[in-house]
Amino acid sequence: MTTVDQIAGPNRRFEGTKVARWALKRIAGAVFVLWAVATLSFFVIRLIPGDPVDALLGGADSNATEQMRQQAREAYGLDRPLPVQYLAYLDKLLHGDLGQSYQLKQSVTEILSDHLASTLTLAVLALALAWILALGLALWSARGGWGTAALSSILEIVSAAVPHFWLGTLLIVLFSVQLRWLPATSGGSGAAGLVLPVLTLAIPLAGFLGQVMRESMADAMQSPFALSARARGESETGVSLRHALRHAALPGIGLSGWAFGSLTSGAVVVETVFARPGLGRSLLQAVLVRDVPVVLGVVLVVAAVYIIVTLLSDLADRVVDPRLRAT
């Protein structure tokens, strides 16, 4: 007689094979993306006008002699052909060496470790706030009439279109200059200094997430499972919170990887506006002086974080939506 364990055994092995295949695809994709980012960044940074030797010798106004410049090129391998420099760079990456900053004369790994936590804190808080605002708009729109839905749509479009630098400047003028509630800069100002940078990053992102969540929420509220819940005596609040909200969150979960990448790129502007130390500000300064190792290190770290967050969002999608587990 066939037992339950005999039937379930092959199914469990099949599920394990699917999970392993899915994991291998993600790992292979992550390795390829990191290689592509490293390669593209290595060659693109060379297109920026200027000589990286200037960063080594203290800037374009250092009055260094041609002999000193040549010695610097030889010391850092900048006199070798570009393909040779590229292969040497990949070899260092495989050994976990991101190089040394031309300008700061400090290990790039140390520089990144000093600023990574600050940028990640800013991005995580902004993503959480954007989710709260987007879900709030979706629930408010679903519970209201056509007027509420129209107003919600306008708010989402306007917030999504607002540039970070303009919004950050506006918040500084309002809350720091006029009301004097919050500090204008976030460097060394504690939790209060995080409020305006987080709002600056979260509000435009909430507009993007709110648009997809509102449409998904509206469809879920008219779906057969929502009608069935109402027939069982479920209130509108119960239908929206217990049933429709999970379906409305699915598009947002799928977009969270892209959203986090958007936040890290927006951090370049926000950290500059609010004089906040972080990867974004370090990247901008490194590009201006052609500090190649720092630029490449920041880009690689941001790409790695983006890959990890995308993987986590894929896992969350599979947990929330059982249909994806069959793929």
Side-chain angles (χ1 to χ4, degrees):
M1 181 179 294
T2 303
T3 64
V4 174
D5 290 338
Q6 289 173 329
I7 297 175
N11 290 334
R12 281 195 292 266
R13 286 194 295 270
F14 180 67
E15 289 292 330
T17 302
K18 288 195 298 182
V19 171
R21 189 183 301 118
W22 177 83
L24 287 174
K25 287 181 179 179
R26 292 299 185 274
I27 293 172
V31 172
F32 174 78
V33 169
L34 287 176
W35 169 79
V37 168
T39 301
L40 186 62
S41 302
F42 179 87
F43 288 104
V44 168
I45 190 66
R46 265 68 181 181
L47 299 178
I48 299 176
D51 191 342
V53 173
D54 292 334
L56 287 167
L57 298 176
D61 300 326
S62 61
N63 296 321
T65 64
E66 185 58 34
Q67 182 181 1
M68 295 171 59
R69 299 174 70 87
Q70 184 60 32
Q71 290 175 348
R73 289 191 181 93
E74 293 175 358
Y76 283 83
L78 298 176
D79 59 330
R80 293 182 290 179
L82 196 57
V84 176
Q85 295 183 43
Y86 169 67
L87 292 177
Y89 169 65
L90 289 184
D91 181 65
K92 286 185 177 181
L93 282 184
L94 291 175
H95 291 86
D97 183 7
L98 295 177
Q100 186 181 52
S101 169
Y102 291 167
Q103 184 184 35
L104 303 176
K105 305 299 187 290
Q106 184 182 1
S107 169
V108 174
T109 303
E110 294 178 4
I111 296 172
L112 297 181
S113 62
D114 291 340
H115 296 95
L116 179 60
S118 175
T119 299
L120 288 182
T121 299
L122 182 63
V124 169
L125 291 176
L127 182 60
L129 180 58
W131 260 87
I132 293 172
L133 294 175
L135 287 174
L137 278 174
L139 287 171
W140 179 55
S141 176
R143 297 294 305 279
W146 67 269
T148 302
L151 180 59
S152 176
S153 178
I154 292 173
L155 290 175
E156 291 161 359
I157 293 173
V158 171
S159 61
V162 172
H164 288 122
F165 70 89
W166 184 87
L167 179 59
T169 304
L170 179 65
L171 292 177
I172 289 174
V173 171
L174 178 60
F175 291 102
S176 299
V177 178
Q178 298 294 331
L179 299 177
R180 299 181 183 276
W181 288 355
L182 296 166
T185 59
S186 59
S189 53
L194 277 170
V195 176
L196 295 184
V198 168
L199 281 173
T200 302
L201 280 175
I203 289 175
L205 179 59
F208 283 108
L209 295 178
Q211 292 179 44
V212 295
M213 289 185 184
R214 177 173 51 82
E215 295 177 1
S216 183
M217 175 70 80
D219 293 338
M221 292 294 287
Q222 302 301 322
S223 62
F225 66 82
L227 298 176
S228 177
R230 293 189 186 97
R232 294 195 303 268
E234 190 87 49
S235 65
E236 286 298 312
T237 301
V239 171
S240 58
L241 293 178
R242 293 190 182 91
H243 304 282
L245 187 60
R246 184 176 66 176
H247 291 266
L250 287 174
I253 294 174
L255 287 173
S256 291
W258 163 84
F260 201 85
S262 175
L263 290 174
T264 51
S265 62
V268 176
V269 176
V270 172
E271 289 173 353
T272 302
V273 170
F274 291 95
R276 178 179 175 80
L279 291 181
R281 195 176 177 195
S282 298
L283 176 62
L284 179 61
Q285 293 172 347
V287 170
L288 292 177
V289 299
R290 284 183 60 92
D291 196 341
V292 176
V294 174
V295 174
L296 296 177
V298 171
V299 171
L300 273 178
V301 167
V302 170
V305 171
Y306 172 77
I307 290 170
I308 293 172
V309 173
T310 302
L311 177 61
L312 292 176
S313 67
D314 287 346
L315 288 173
D317 256 341
R318 298 171 79 89
V319 170
V320 175
D321 191 351
R323 295 171 297 180
L324 296 177
R325 300 173 200 167
T327 61

